[in-house]
């Protein structure tokens, strides 16, 4: 397996049910909340819950330093609390502002846990505060989305999930 670049990737770190307190993750757009919860999960005993409004493209983002002209594979488990939508989106912002979607293995998310994957290559220039993101895409309904087992690796395909690797002084 290659290193998982996402810390708190199984969402075990932090206090449950506190809005905007998911370690290392931030709101994307203006969802009602992103928080840890312990009733729906795949890995460990917690996941991230995103409660959206009717605004499109709401979700969560994970800020990290991406490398220029580098191939990454982003994967995560996701499910909805009810119903299904065919607009799930994920991607990255090389400059911390301009989203570039990647082609997910599926854009349909339902009430069953599914692992989603996409592979992308960053641009030649990385600036600002880059991030990867997960959103409900163009859906304009209130949704509760659960995310678990997030993984970002420098690889052409997703490997089996592993928790984020500890980095100390840039050494893994």
């Amino acid at each position: 397996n290659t290193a998982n670049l996402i810390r708190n990737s199984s969402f075990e770190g932090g206090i449950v049910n506190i809005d905007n307190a998911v370690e290392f993750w931030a709101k994307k757009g203006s969802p009602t909340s992103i928080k840890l919860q312990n009733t729906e999960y795949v890995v460990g005993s917690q996941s991230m819950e995103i409660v959206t409004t009717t605004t499109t493209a709401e979700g969560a983002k994970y800020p990290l330093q991406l490398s220029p002209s580098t191939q990454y594979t982003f994967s995560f488990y996701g499910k909805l609390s009810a119903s299904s939508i065919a607009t799930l989106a994920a991607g990255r912002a090389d400059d911390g502002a301009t989203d570039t979607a990647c082609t997910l293995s599926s854009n349909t998310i339902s009430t069953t846990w599914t692992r989603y994957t996409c592979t992308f290559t960053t641009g030649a220039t990385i600036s600002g505060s880059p991030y990867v993101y997960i959103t409900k895409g163009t859906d304009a309904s209130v949704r509760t989305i659960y995310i678990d087992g997030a993984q970002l690796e420098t690889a052409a395909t997703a490997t089996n999930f592993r928790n984020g690797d500890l980095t100390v002084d840039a050494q893994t």
Side-chain angles (χ1 to χ4, degrees), residues 58-162:
E58 289 182 335
K61 61 184 177 180
Y62 181 85
L64 80 161
Q65 189 57 51
L66 297 168
S67 297
S69 304
T70 301
Q71 185 177 54
Y72 292 92
T73 294
F74 185 31
S75 60
F76 57 91
Y77 291 91
K79 70 174 278 191
L80 292 177
S81 63
S83 191
S84 68
I85 58 172
T87 60
L88 182 68
R92 93 264 182 200
D94 290 350
D95 62 0
T98 307
D99 290 346
T100 303
C102 58
T103 303
L104 282 170
S105 50
S106 172
N107 295 99
T108 299
I109 184 171
S110 68
T111 57
T112 302
W113 282 109
T114 302
R115 190 177 193 207
Y116 299 90
T117 64
C118 67
T119 300
F120 62 87
T121 300
T122 54
T125 301
I126 304 294
S127 62
S129 300
Y131 57 83
V132 292
Y133 67 87
I134 303 165
T135 73
K136 65 178 182 168
T138 58
D139 179 70
S141 296
V142 172
R143 302 287 179 190
T144 299
I145 305 166
Y146 301 105
I147 303 295
D148 205 358
Q151 181 162 288
L152 182 69
E153 50 197 321
T154 52
T157 58
T159 62
N160 291 335
F161 172 76
R162 65 185 281 183

Side-chain angles (χ1 to χ4, degrees), residues 165-172:
D165 294 290
L166 177 65
T167 301
V168 179
D169 295 333
Q171 301 298 313
T172 302

Side-chain angles (χ1 to χ4, degrees), residues 5-80:
L5 303 174
I6 295 179
R7 297 183 293 173
N8 198 25
S9 54
S10 65
F11 304 99
E12 304 306 310
I15 302 168
V16 297
N17 293 322
I18 304 292
D19 181 34
N20 221 20
V22 181
E23 283 187 345
F24 310 113
W25 290 80
K27 291 180 177 181
K28 175 148 180 40
S30 299
T32 301
S33 65
I34 65 167
K35 60 186 177 180
L36 298 174
Q37 61 78 43
N38 56 12
T39 58
E40 299 285 343
Y41 51 85
V42 175
V43 180
S45 60
Q46 296 180 172
S47 69
M48 176 171 57
E49 176 189 271
I50 305 165
V51 178
T52 71
T53 68
T54 55
T55 304
T56 61
E58 289 182 335
K61 61 184 177 180
Y62 181 85
L64 80 161
Q65 189 57 51
L66 297 168
S67 297
S69 304
T70 301
Q71 185 177 54
Y72 292 92
T73 294
F74 185 31
S75 60
F76 57 91
Y77 291 91
K79 70 174 278 191
L80 292 177

